Every structure is written in structure tokens, then in C-alpha cells.
Amino acid sequence: MLTAVKPAGPSKSDIARGVFRRTPGISGESHRARRSRIRVKGNGSIRAVISSTGDKALEAASPLESKESTNGSLLSSGGGIEVRATVTVRKKMKEKITEKMEDQWEFFVNGFGQGILIHLISEEIDPVTNSGKSAESSVRGWLTRPLSNPRIVEYAANFTVPHDFGCPGAILVTNLHSKEFYLLEIVIHGFDEGPIFFPANTWIHSRKDNPESRIIFKNQAYLPSQTPPGIKDLRREDLLSIRGNGKGERKPHDRIYDYDLYNDLGNPDKDEDLARPVLGVEERPYPRRCRTGRPPTKSDPLSETRIEKPHPVYVPRDETFEEIKQNTFSAGRLKAVLHNLVPSIAATLSSSDISFKCFSDIDKLYNDGFLLKDDENKDIIEKLLVGKIVKQVMSIGQTLLKYETPAIIKRDRFAWLRDNEFARQSLAGVNPVNIEVLKEFPILSKLDPAVYGPPESAITKELIEQELNGLSVEKAIEDKRLFILDYHDMLLPFVKKINSLPNRKSYASRTVFFFTKTGFLRPIAIELSLPPTPSSPRNKHVYAHGHDATMHWTWKLAKAHVCSNDAGVHQLVNHWLRTHASMEPYIIATHRQLSSMHPIYKLLHPHMRYTLEINALARQSLINGGGVIEACFSPGRYAMELSSAAYKSLWRFDIDALPADLIRRGMAVEDPSMPCGVRLVIEDYPYAADGLLIWSAIQEWVESYVSHFYSEPNSVTSDLELQAWWDEIKNKGHHDKRNEPWWPKLNTKEDLHGILTIMIWIASGQHAAINFGQYPFGGYVPNRPTLLRRLIPKENDSDYHKFILNPQHTFLSSLPTQLQATKVMAVQDTLSTHSADEEYLGQMNLLHSHWINDHEVLKMFNKFSARLEEIEEIINERNKDSRLRNRSGAGVPPYELLLPSSGAGVTGRGIPNSISI
């Protein structure tokens, strides 16, 4: 007779209560040390078979016949409920013969029940043991039923449980193999409730790496107070294991989330010139990153030793890129760009300071390409899927690198030269989040005048009014027709240091725009400032577009400096800091404080995918000392210090809300009659107009979701996990800002859905708007140079005569070198590319289709998805509207960065769920 089998070793009450603790020193972190010693006793009284289709009767696992009860349960002849667990595993993408042999050995081991043990835990308490009822079995079998995906394997295990077992709420999985495997889900068949889904989508570590079993909860969302008694201890214990103890170096198989400073950007042990200050201290505040626990450097005990390419930086195991992304996109592709393509470009362009001699040199990058003379990396470079970059093998040791024509010059190669395009990109470009309404005049700096000179701008009232067609400055300000792009206070403290670097020249800039009656934004004055000197205490110069040839070229150079500043602020502040770095603490806190059963965890989970991995890769190769950002962007080695200064003076969680940010910048005014409660000052502001549509859709979805789970008074304040989550975000994740008064309270469901809407907007719409246009706008160097190498010549300068004789040469020699330009183009192309496995806002990955067992929530999600489809149609119609000149017209690329869907590659559209590149 089939019966429930008692475990060998620990009692089921011990297991359910989680009383076993890991032996100190084993991976340093766990709380379920002996659970993996569970064994199935007896002479085959429990058997497992490969699952058959659907809910058919079990294959014969013993000579005993089963019969079906009147209520649909499968009964053994002894009166228990016979239950089948279908275990779905995803194989790795493998090519090596040895790995295929290992696969066959795994099948063989599983066939004898020695590979995977699973332990079923009921939601109900056993009155004898005062813990969750339990039963255990092992996976068996060598064959699988035919599946459409050859990488998916299904196994099964059989249980017989008593009639009063109750509904299972958790499964403990023990991996007896010598290596990890990827568990997609476990489905339990045979209970009255019908199939019960346990979505996993996780790596199950080998017991030799970590002796504790993994806990997988079913797809039912429970607030902490609603947790069934049989699995309450497991909920707490799972969170404890994820938090770790803050000690030891993390191992690749670990699944531990903790915080640390940005103390791994420099490499002083390799070269003292690569030493970088720690970010996240009082004088240089910063959000926290995921802790890796590496030892300190020998040269600087405050800095952490680095893991250099191509070795991976630790992130918790489930945060790493899935293989389809590794093989077809990011880990393989971005690393190949950084580790192979960029060095190959450097080897080909043997001199690092070769300038573009003429504009046709730039055009050749798209029309002709250039040969890479690097036989060693040829095969890797050929296989790179760098957007639409075309590569062809010309001969042995030579590869043709040919860039796709960027969108900004595809329709009109001279668009970048025009003032209206320069202004349009402040509203519809890759960085449309810095333009503000000019609220007062004169324009004043908030910097210390004793250090940085007089606070008044050199842009005078008379100069502006020359461009206002008879309108006074006061009237233009009152009518909200003057706008400013102001990088003066952010950049001036760094200009002297930047200009001391070789071949770097920078100003602090202000640009004033006038909104004409015809609906155009027109730049009318640019102020470029250098730090004051004894001979020039007011070291500011104002440029305007003039009618003579010299003013035409100085105006063009001034715009180039503004674009360079804009590119640096975009990359280091708006892109990296405000999305990537700020999001990381939210992700860490969500894993540490919210159980995977928590409804808010389930809501946020799609918006956390891949972010820790891409951030770790950025710390390794992009924002690190000597990395691509330092090499190719104006601030150089001071890049991350500038980002820290912006965090200190500008970053606030509450104004990461799109409507609040627009109001802060004066680009919108409060209007309760309008959607989202705001009315745009410039109606034809594509980023804001489309962004508000996305924001409102997210807000409606989140509000309905939160209201569904928090329907009772005080349900938010009584949710201990939720309160600990928000407390940790403020006090640990953004520790340096913990005492700021602007942090939202978390007392009501309105507070909660406001906080969550901000987080989801940042991870999805905000990141999409400022990321996926990097190559379309920045791939043409003159449109958006990431650095400049010369100041604008003045009449008494030694090279002024050369400028007069050949202004084009002065302009081109001010741009990044050919090496700098091609390196940053390759990286921008990669950062602008969607992976083939991208998950977009409002879309559900089929592998996650059982994410929640709640029909009302699924109806809400389907409504959200339908609304995003409507928004896509609205945006497409807007892009056809000839009245909206910032998104349509001769040669004007349509504004598509906030179109929700996209295909793979550099598309200039699409909103992924998460910050995944």
C-alpha cells in the first residue's frame, strides 16, 4: 500500500519550523542546513515517473491500482490521496560533448531517484507536531514526453498523502547533483483545487555548494498576516537566507542580497593613476550597490579589490543574464564590444589622437566602414550582433566594421546644423529631462561667489530682448515663453579639473531658448563660463547666432560645447544615477524584505530583471577608472564624482514622479481637469506628452492592484514586511539621504501606489526614454560629441588665425578623436539595442504565465496591456500630425522612444519592463 513516508533524519516538524541552522563556515550564510539530508526510506514504496500529458491517470508506478474518488481526487487503495508532481527543468544551451555526457548522466541519476528530492509542505498545521504537514519523494525516470522546446525537460514524482493533508503551500527542493540546474516550475496534480502551480524560474544550487534546500512557494499572493500557518516559518526563513549575515566573499552560487558602497571603481593596486574615491560617504554621497564582499586593496583599505574582465562580478545567482541574452546579446555582446571590438579599434587606429580631417571621414564610417587589423579577435568580432553594424571578412586578419546610419542624419544629413533641431532635441531627443522654464531674471548662480565669482549671468536683458520681437523679458517670463538649459552650477566646480586633463576642454554652460508664436523653440543665447582667475574674475562669455561668418562658426562651436555638456549630464546623472544606480537599492530591499509570496514582490518582480547584472557589468567596464565613460566623455576621471555631486544636490525620490518633475521644471502646471493633474506649458513636448500617457497607465494598474490587496483600514501600516522594505530603502539603500524631509510616508494605500508607480516608471518608461535613443542621436558625432578637446578661440589666442583660415578644421579637431568616437559609437549602439528575449511593459513572458493565482489581478493586468496598445496607436497618430512639428516634418525622425513595443535590435522604440541594458 502506498503511504506517506517519514523522512530520514530531521522530523517534518523540525523542517517546517526551520529549526536547523547551517554549520558556520559553509558559504557563510544560511538557516536550513540539514534540510537537504531528507531521504526517502523503504523499498520503493514511493516511485516517480515521467509525466504524461495533462492530468491523465498516473503511469503505473507500482503494482497497486489507483481509483478515483467521488470528489475527483486520486485515491490509493489505502485511502490516501495519490498526488503527482510535474517538475519542469530547462537545460543549458550546450555544445560540448562532455556537457552532453553530463546531461545523460543526470538523466540516469534522476532515474534512480538520486538526483532531485522534493518535499511537499502543507498550508495546514499538523496538531501533533505543531508545524506544516509534509511528505517527500524524489524525481525518477530517464525519458521525457515530446516537448516543442528541446531545452525543456519534464520529470515527475509521486506522493501519497492523507486525506487531511490540506493544500500544499511550499515545496523544498534539494539538488543532489554536483552542479546547479534551472527549475522553471513544479505543478502538483491530484488535489481538489486542481493543478497547483509553484513557479520557480530559479537556479537550484548543488548540495555540495550549499547544503540547504530551496523553498519554492505556490503562486498565491499572501500579505504577511494572511500567511497560512503551515508555511509561516518558511516565509520568514527564506527571507533570512536571502539577507545573509553581511560577512564573507560572495560565491557565484549564492543568492544573497546586501548593500555596499561604490568602493570598487578604482584599481590602485594595478596603477595609482587608477585610484578612485569611494562613493557613498558623507562628502561623496551615493546610492548603495549590491555587496560582493571582496577583500580590500593593498594600496587602499577603503577600496575593494576588483574583478577584471572577462571574469564576472558577483550578483545573486538569479540576477544573472539568462543564456539567450548571454549568447545573443548582452553578456556575450557587450563584453565582446568592450573586450574585443574596442581594443581592435584601438589597434587599427594606432594613434589615439587622430582627428577627423573632414566630414566625409565621419560619413565613411557608415558608407564604407574601416578595416580592423586584428586576426586574433576576428572570429569574435564577426559574430558580434552589434545592432545593425555590418561586419564582413575581407581577408585573413581583416574585418570590415561598418556602422548603421544613425536616425538623426538618415532622413536629413544636415539636420544637426540647424538651430531648431538643436532646440527640438531638448524636447524630443535622448535627454529631454533638463530643459526648464526661465522663472526669474537676472539669471543667478547658487554657488559660493567667493570661490566662483559673481553670481549674475553674463546674459543681459538687452541681449535677450533683441531676439524677442518687441516682447520684454518680464512679459516673456510671465507668459512662460523663455526656457533654459542650465548646467552652470553642476559643472563649474569641475571645469578646472576637467581642463587640466590632456585633450579635454570644457565650460559650464547656460542656454536660453525662446518659444515663438509659431510654436518653435529657438536658442537665442549661450553662456560659457570658466572658473574665475585674478585677471578675469568674471570669466564668462556669451554667444549668439550672428549673420557674419565668424559668429556663425563660434555659435556652432558654442552649441557643440552645450551638446557635450548635455551628453555628459545625460549619461552620468539622468541615465546612470537616476535610473540604474537609484533602482538598485529598491531591488535589493525588495528581495531582502518582501517574501516572494508578497503581492508587492509579485508586482515589482518583472521590473527588477537583469538590472543588478547590467549595473555590475557597468562598474566593471563602463564607469570604472579608465573605463569607456572616462575615456570618451568630457568629465574623464572625475565622471563619477560629478555624478555623486548631482546626487547630493539634485536627487529626490519624490520628484522622480513624472508629473512632479515636470512641475518642478516649470514645464507643466497643476490642472485637476487634465489627465495626471497637469497641463503642459509646451503642448508639443513629445517626451512629456507620451510619458504622461505611460505614467497614467502604470498609475491606474498599480492603484487597482494595491487596492485589491490592501482593502482593509490600516492594512498598509500593519504589513510588517512592507514597512521594513520602505524603511530599508530609505535608511540603507539611500543611506546618505535618509534624513531628508521629502521622503513620502507609507501609511495608506495611496502612499503605497504612489511610491510603486514611481519605481515602475523609472524602471520602464523613464529608462527607455533616455536610453534607447543613444545611438540614433549620438551615433553621429557632430550632433552630440561626448567631449571636446579645444576651447573656442578668442582674438588674442595664438590659434585664432588658424580658426579664421580654416574654421571647419577647428571644429573637427575639437571633436572626439577617431578612436574615441568609434569606441563610444560601438558602446552606444550596444546600449541602444533590445535583446531578443526582452520583456516589454504590459506583456507577459509565457514562462511566467502562472505568476499569480488571482483572476481579478489577471483581469487588471489585461486591462493594463490593452491600454498600452491604445497608447501605441495614439503615439503613432501624434507622429503623423503635421501640427506637432517636434515629431513630424521634412526629415524629422518621429518620436518613438515611448512606444511600448519593439522588436530586437536598435529600433529607437520599445519600453522594457526593467533596466536590462
Side-chain angles (χ1 to χ4, degrees), residues 100 151 196 266 313 344 414 421 433 480 489 534 581 636 823 874:
K100 291 182 179 180
R151 295 178 59 216
I196 302 172
V313 177
S344 298
F414 300 111
E421 178 60 26
V433 297
K480 301 185 187 303
D489 287 9
K823 282 168 64 174
I874 293 170

Side-chain angles (χ1 to χ4, degrees), residues 90-140:
R90 187 181 67 200
K91 297 191 297 182
K92 292 184 179 181
M93 295 178 177
K94 297 176 181 177
E95 296 179 352
K96 296 179 181 179
I97 297 296
T98 54
E99 290 177 325
K100 291 182 179 180
M101 293 175 64
E102 288 175 355
D103 267 353
Q104 296 303 315
W105 175 249
E106 287 179 15
F107 295 152
F108 182 78
V109 171
N110 287 339
F112 283 102
Q114 297 298 312
I116 304 171
L117 302 179
I118 58 177
H119 192 91
L120 203 60
I121 307 294
S122 172
E123 292 183 340
E124 296 185 7
I125 290 286
D126 185 327
V128 176
T129 63
N130 199 33
S131 60
K133 300 172 184 177
S134 62
E136 63 280 339
S137 184
S138 56
V139 165
R140 292 182 182 270

Side-chain angles (χ1 to χ4, degrees), residues 642-884:
L642 190 154
S643 189
S644 169
Y647 178 71
K648 182 177 184 178
S649 61
L650 299 174
W651 186 85
R652 290 176 51 159
F653 177 85
D654 58 334
I655 58 173
D656 271 347
L658 177 59
D661 177 59
L662 293 171
I663 291 170
R664 177 189 66 84
R665 293 189 282 121
M667 300 303 292
V669 294
E670 293 188 50
D671 186 343
S673 68
M674 298 292 289
C676 302
V678 297
R679 176 173 50 83
L680 295 179
V681 170
I682 297 178
E683 181 183 354
D684 187 14
Y685 183 2
Y687 158 75
D690 294 356
L692 287 171
L693 291 175
I694 301 297
W695 171 272
S696 64
I698 295 171
Q699 185 179 49
E700 183 180 354
W701 152 237
V702 172
E703 186 172 349
S704 62
Y705 184 95
V706 167
S707 296
H708 178 71
F709 288 101
Y710 292 90
S711 57
E712 300 297 323
N714 303 320
S715 55
V716 169
T717 53
S718 63
D719 186 336
L720 300 181
E721 285 184 10
L722 188 71
Q723 293 298 325
W725 167 78
W726 185 233
D727 180 76
E728 187 165 289
I729 285 172
K730 294 182 295 182
N731 292 302
K732 288 188 177 181
H734 285 273
H735 177 79
D736 303 318
K737 295 275 191 174
R738 64 193 181 280
N739 296 321
E740 296 289 352
W742 41 253
W743 283 104
K745 304 296 183 185
L746 184 51
N747 297 324
T748 66
K749 63 183 180 181
E750 289 76 19
D751 296 337
L752 178 56
H753 67 64
I755 289 166
L756 294 170
T757 300
I758 291 175
M759 291 180 179
I760 294 173
W761 160 253
I762 292 298
S764 57
Q766 181 65 20
H767 179 259
I770 59 179
N771 179 72
F772 293 104
Q774 289 193 71
Y775 186 78
F777 286 98
Y780 186 67
V781 181
N783 179 65
R784 196 168 177 78
T786 54
L787 63 83
L788 288 174
R789 297 184 294 144
R790 297 177 186 272
L791 298 176
I792 299 175
K794 296 181 180 179
E795 289 190 27
N796 56 350
D797 291 344
S798 59
D799 56 354
Y800 185 76
H801 183 63
K802 294 179 181 179
F803 162 64
I804 295 297
L805 290 177
N806 192 342
Q808 177 177 292
H809 177 268
T810 299
F811 182 88
L812 288 168
S813 63
S814 299
L815 297 179
T817 65
Q818 292 189 34
L819 175 59
Q820 290 167 329
T822 49
K823 282 168 64 174
V824 82
M825 285 167 66
V827 174
Q828 285 177 332
D829 176 86
T830 302
L831 298 180
S832 302
T833 300
H834 290 291
S835 169
D837 74 334
E838 199 78 88
E839 296 179 2
Y840 296 96
L841 192 65
Q843 297 180 6
M844 181 61 63
N845 188 318
L846 289 176
L847 296 177
H848 301 155
S849 57
H850 299 131
W851 67 286
I852 195 167
N853 182 27
D854 192 316
H855 293 296
E856 285 300 313
V857 168
L858 295 176
K859 283 169 59 178
M860 295 174 198
F861 183 80
N862 290 336
K863 182 180 178 182
F864 175 52
S865 300
R867 177 55 182 158
L868 289 170
E869 291 178 3
E870 292 174 4
I871 289 172
E872 189 150 320
E873 293 177 6
I874 293 170
I875 294 175
N876 285 328
E877 288 303 311
R878 286 176 174 177
N879 286 331
K880 298 174 185 176
D881 190 339
S882 60
R883 296 169 298 174
L884 302 177

Side-chain angles (χ1 to χ4, degrees), residues 492-558:
L492 191 59
F494 291 90
V495 167
K496 184 176 181 180
K497 293 190 285 190
I498 292 171
N499 290 350
S500 67
L501 299 172
N503 293 314
R504 302 286 170 99
K505 297 300 176 186
S506 180
Y507 300 93
S509 62
R510 290 188 178 108
T511 308
V512 176
F513 301 88
F514 176 58
F515 189 61
T516 69
K517 288 185 176 181
T518 56
F520 278 107
L521 198 63
R522 183 163 59 89
I524 58 177
I526 294 174
E527 178 191 67
L528 300 180
S529 301
L530 295 170
T533 64
S535 61
S536 183
R538 188 180 172 85
N539 207 353
K540 308 172 188 289
H541 193 85
V542 177
Y543 297 87
H545 45 81
H547 299 289
D548 66 86
T550 302
M551 290 186 68
H552 172 81
W553 275 103
T554 55
W555 174 248
K556 195 187 306 292
L557 286 165

